[in-house]
Amino acid sequence: MRVCFRSSVQPGLIDEYRRRHAAVWPEMLRALKDAGWHNYSLFLGGDGLLVGYVECDDFDAVRARMALTEVNARWQAEMATLFEDTEQPPDTGFVALEEIFNLEDQLAAANAPD
């Protein structure tokens, strides 16, 4: 499945957010991969809007697998102060967006025999 989600980084902390993501801990990268996060990207707007994209078997399942890792707990604690909502770990505040269009899916459907 493809998942797009949004969150919000505090505008005054965008540079720090970028710095931390320029060198994500190797053990965090491995944990994400092992938990089933594939083709994972983050996009950050100048106003703090954070949009993520990931391909996975099941979004709730990959988040649950990450929640079981010690490295994720440490990473979320490090990142929490950078987000608008500091009352919860950043990865629990992701708001999934509904996919309403995908080029490949529509091309496949358009070319499918009747």
Side-chain angles (χ1 to χ4, degrees), residues 108-114:
N111 292 326
D114 292 327

Side-chain angles (χ1 to χ4, degrees), residues 7 56 77 98 101:
S7 190
C56 57
E98 178 185 5
F101 173 81

Side-chain angles (χ1 to χ4, degrees), residues 18-80:
R18 289 179 188 278
R19 186 189 67 74
R20 292 184 191 183
H21 279 81
V24 174
W25 307 332
E27 62 268 32
M28 183 64 174
L29 300 173
R30 283 190 300 278
L32 286 163
K33 187 74 167 174
D34 291 347
W37 294 67
H38 305 287
N39 201 20
Y40 180 31
S41 295
L42 294 171
F43 304 86
L44 183 59
D47 62 352
L49 173 65
L50 180 69
V51 175
Y53 173 84
V54 64
E55 295 173 0
C56 57
D57 57 350
D58 177 283
F59 192 49
D60 291 333
V62 297
R63 292 194 320 169
R65 289 192 289 265
M66 281 304 294
L68 297 174
T69 67
E70 181 273 334
V71 69
N72 187 62
R74 284 191 294 121
W75 180 261
Q76 297 308 321
E78 288 282 322
M79 299 305 295

